[in-house]
Amino acid sequence: MVCRALAIYLVVGLAGGCGLPRATASEWDREDIQKLTSFVDEQLDCIWNVAKVAPPKQASPEVYWRRVNLDVAGRIPSMDSARTNSQYESASQAEDALRELIQSGAAARYWGSLLRRLWFPQTDVPPYQYLQADTESWLTEQLFNHRCINEMAHELLTVQYEVQHEVQHEKVAGSSPWATRQTAVPDVFIASNEFQSARMASNATRSFLGIDLECAQCHDHPFDRWTQQQFWQTAAFFELPDNPSLEFAEVGSLKVLIPDSQKIVTAQLFVDATLNRRVYSPSQGESGRTLFADWMCDKRNRWMARHTVDVVWGQLFGVRLSELAHRAESEVVQHWERLHAGLADEFVARGSPLFPLVAALVQTRAYRAESQGIGLAGGVLKRRQQLLAVYNIKALSATQLLDSLQMAQGETTGLAAGPAGIRERTRRAFSESQQVGVEGDQARSVTQLLSLMNGTAWGQPPAIEALATADFLSEAACMDALYWLALGRPPTLQELDQFREAGLFSEDRSSRWERYEDVHWILTNSVEFNTNH
């Protein structure tokens, strides 16, 4: 059995050759992560007790590992990784595998892309798409080198107006593709907002803080408490200093005229908070943006932490914490809000690192829950899903779908190559045309997959070729490998019987290639493949 597994790995695993880099530095503190996981578990236990629902049943190791790979690295696990993980006998082995995955270049690239889309969604459409590549590359580098969320956000908001023509790289420890620190911060924040203070204010409050302040730009907010004056007071922070040569300038010198009025307002925060500094230094390159970024990223300010935690939770669970609280039954609303606030506090207390937060959340009982809800009536199942006592099935995003199909075909060159991989142009084109933007939206997955599978983007999958020509492997071993490649699990006896009945599982070696292509097509067009369950 061991020899057979080794042979399949040599034939198929090496054909794919994932080769994902691993960071040499470690920012992990296992005890802190376990405490955070325990905190979430305790809060959810409380919610399930109050709501009188049983805790969730846990998904199989194969399903869990596939789920983690999709959410952390943006694609299904390799066949070898899926097989190996299913055979771990201790929790520490599984934890080490998770640790390696989260520290991989694939995770940095995937979350770099997510952050770019979260912080600068305007770069998904013309005329700002040209900013995508540099922005994602910079974000990927920062994440790979363990930069914290607030540090990255501060640098992006305070980038200088002067164009930096030459990018300086500082070599840091390690030999991975991203083991350099790019000193030139992309000017995406000011360029994608066309240097306009109102647009920068809208972008900063919406994308970094989760506050819909821009709806108050023309009049007081129709549904919230924000006023038009507060919007323009915020915009004043993003105006250029009157005299950039001054050594010091007062906050009050930052002014803006409200359009279609004679009213001039000065910079002022829209919440009951004070700035740490009342003056800034224009001659040193500081501006009102510096003051705003200082406040936004200050650990005493919870707006950004709450929004970041909310978004990361939504990405992993398919529904944000704020939505769970909004939709919750009255007796558990306060418990969801307590979980949200507590998680934001813990996130800030540990310096706002992204990946330790992700590591903690994917180890919670709710994340490990089964998604099937077998035997449950529709209403009961829906209620358990709303309480996260059953895992919410998510559609694969366009990039998850493309990279997963590439992995299932054993073609991983582009996956290992980083943000500027050889398949990047195809990947971006497919992503832009097929993007699913809402967590939990499953409406377009099948269409995406069919358009890809029936399109012209793919040739002969290397994995199929390797299996079809491996005469030393039995039919059963090849069918087993096809399942591990596409679905990350072995086939059931019932599934093998169905393929045998259809003539796709036989001892006719002359038809292997054609049969394996058909089996592979069927598996990768299945709901099981194109959803994260």
Side-chain angles (χ1 to χ4, degrees):
M1 184 65 187
V2 173
C3 293
R4 176 175 294 175
L6 179 60
I8 294 173
Y9 167 73
L10 290 172
V11 169
V12 180
L14 292 184
C18 183
L20 293 171
R22 183 182 183 183
T24 54
S26 174
E27 293 292 316
W28 283 60
D29 184 325
R30 292 191 183 207
E31 189 176 347
D32 278 352
I33 291 171
Q34 288 170 354
K35 285 181 180 176
L36 200 54
T37 300
S38 298
F39 168 75
V40 175
D41 282 342
E42 290 167 5
Q43 297 302 312
L44 288 172
D45 272 338
C46 183
I47 289 171
W48 294 329
N49 284 333
V50 171
K52 295 182 172 54
V53 302
K57 295 179 181 177
Q58 301 294 276
S60 68
E62 291 85 358
V63 169
Y64 172 70
W65 186 238
R66 183 181 186 275
R67 185 183 297 168
V68 167
N69 272 264
L70 281 164
D71 280 334
V72 171
R75 41 83 179 141
I76 61 172
S78 67
M79 184 191 73
D80 180 52
S81 168
R83 280 183 184 277
T84 303
N85 197 270
S86 70
Q87 296 167 357
Y88 287 147
E89 296 179 352
S90 69
S92 64
Q93 287 178 303
E95 189 179 340
D96 286 343
L98 174 62
R99 177 193 184 96
E100 184 172 354
L101 177 68
I102 291 182
Q103 290 185 322
S104 69
R109 184 182 73 166
Y110 179 63
W111 283 86
S113 177
L114 291 178
L115 280 184
R116 192 271 302 165
R117 185 164 285 119
L118 168 68
W119 286 347
F120 308 107
Q122 62 270 40
T123 57
D124 269 338
V125 294
Y128 311 112
Q129 287 172 309
Y130 75 95
L131 296 163
Q132 281 186 15
D134 284 349
T135 305
E136 284 191 18
S137 179
W138 185 83
L139 289 168
T140 299
E141 286 183 7
Q142 310 311 305
L143 289 173
F144 193 75
N145 289 301
H146 309 291
R147 297 292 304 284
C148 291
I149 290 291
N150 55 349
E151 295 174 349
M152 296 159 59
H154 193 280
E155 290 193 15
L156 288 167
L157 255 66
T158 58
V159 65
Q160 299 293 304
Y161 275 92
E162 293 79 10
V163 176
Q164 300 182 44
H165 296 288
E166 294 186 4
V167 176
Q168 302 294 325
H169 288 83
E170 173 192 353
K171 186 70 177 173
V172 297
S175 57
S176 66
W178 297 296
T180 57
R181 197 175 300 281
Q182 186 172 317
T183 55
V185 181
D187 62 351
V188 59
F189 179 67
I190 52 178
S192 65
N193 289 307
E194 299 184 350
F195 304 88
Q196 296 179 23
S197 59
R199 291 186 55 170
M200 285 190 273
S202 297
N203 192 172
T205 52
R206 181 186 63 248
S207 299
F208 292 88
L209 305 177
I211 300 173
D212 187 16
L213 195 63
E214 63 186 317
C215 281
Q217 182 171 351
C218 302
H219 45 70
D220 291 350
H221 200 294
F223 310 116
D224 215 329
R225 58 191 169 104
W226 313 119
T227 66
Q228 185 187 28
Q229 178 161 315
Q230 287 176 314
F231 174 85
W232 288 102
Q233 287 172 334
T234 305
F237 282 104
F238 299 90
E239 286 287 306
L240 285 172
D242 288 337
N243 188 347
S245 63
L246 284 178
E247 185 175 0
F248 295 105
E250 293 282 343
V251 176
S253 66
L254 295 165
K255 301 176 182 177
V256 66
L257 173 68
I258 298 179
D260 301 324
S261 77
Q262 299 301 315
K263 191 173 183 178
I264 295 176
V265 295
T266 58
Q268 187 173 329
L269 291 175
F270 51 88
V271 293
D272 294 329
T274 57
L275 291 168
N276 293 332
R277 292 190 292 156
R278 303 299 302 174
V279 297
Y280 62 101
S281 178
S283 63
Q284 299 298 314
E286 292 185 343
S287 66
R289 281 189 289 128
T290 308
L291 294 175
F292 187 87
D294 286 350
W295 167 77
M296 186 180 83
C297 299
D298 192 305
K299 65 181 181 181
R300 291 168 293 184
N301 176 10
R302 290 292 188 270
W303 285 100
M304 186 172 173
R306 283 182 62 88
H307 183 53
T308 303
V309 164
D310 203 24
V311 169
V312 172
W313 184 285
Q315 196 66 35
L316 298 177
F317 290 95
V319 57
R320 295 187 182 186
L321 277 168
S322 55
E323 293 177 48
L324 289 167
H326 180 70
R327 299 174 185 174
E329 298 158 4
S330 57
E331 63 268 27
V332 295
V333 170
Q334 61 178 319
H335 297 285
W336 284 118
E337 292 175 344
R338 185 182 304 161
L339 172 57
H340 194 171
L343 206 51
D345 288 345
E346 294 291 333
F347 181 62
V348 169
R350 285 159 177 75
S352 306
L354 176 66
F355 285 137
L357 172 66
V358 172
L361 294 181
V362 300
Q363 295 183 76
T364 60
R365 282 202 293 165
Y367 186 82
R368 293 174 178 273
E370 275 189 351
S371 62
Q372 300 298 317
I374 296 173
L376 298 176
V380 176
L381 175 60
K382 185 175 182 181
R383 183 166 184 264
R384 287 184 64 82
Q385 288 173 329
Q386 290 173 340
L387 292 164
L388 302 188
V390 169
Y391 186 79
N392 287 289
I393 298 173
K394 300 175 293 186
L396 300 193
S397 68
T399 53
Q400 285 176 324
L401 185 61
L402 191 68
D403 289 349
S404 294
L405 189 57
Q406 197 171 345
M407 180 67 80
Q409 296 189 0
E411 177 58 75
T412 56
T413 305
L415 297 178
I422 60 174
R423 292 190 55 80
E424 197 60 17
R425 184 173 299 175
T426 301
R427 183 172 178 271
R428 286 186 184 282
F430 183 78
S431 175
E432 290 163 8
S433 63
Q434 304 286 335
Q435 186 61 35
V436 174
V438 180
E439 299 100 342
D441 183 358
Q442 303 171 38
R444 296 175 59 199
S445 274
V446 175
T447 306
Q448 289 175 352
L449 188 57
L450 287 173
S451 67
L452 183 63
M453 291 297 292
N454 294 325
T456 58
W458 304 101
Q460 296 290 343
I464 303 302
E465 180 180 0
L467 287 172
T469 56
D471 292 336
F472 56 90
L473 290 178
S474 68
E475 286 295 321
C478 290
M479 288 293 288
D480 190 66
L482 286 168
Y483 263 80
W484 281 106
L485 273 167
L487 303 182
R489 66 171 177 82
T492 65
L493 291 176
Q494 182 182 8
E495 288 168 333
L496 289 177
D497 286 342
Q498 289 174 327
F499 277 114
R500 185 178 289 110
E501 189 176 335
L504 296 175
F505 179 27
S506 73
E507 293 298 329
D508 179 13
R509 302 211 166 198
S510 65
S511 63
R512 266 188 167 186
W513 198 306
E514 184 179 349
R515 286 188 290 109
Y516 292 170
E517 281 190 323
D518 287 345
V519 172
H520 187 266
W521 194 95
I522 291 170
L523 295 180
T524 51
N525 274 282
S526 67
V527 173
E528 184 173 350
F529 180 83
N530 64 54
T531 59
N532 188 354
H533 48 87

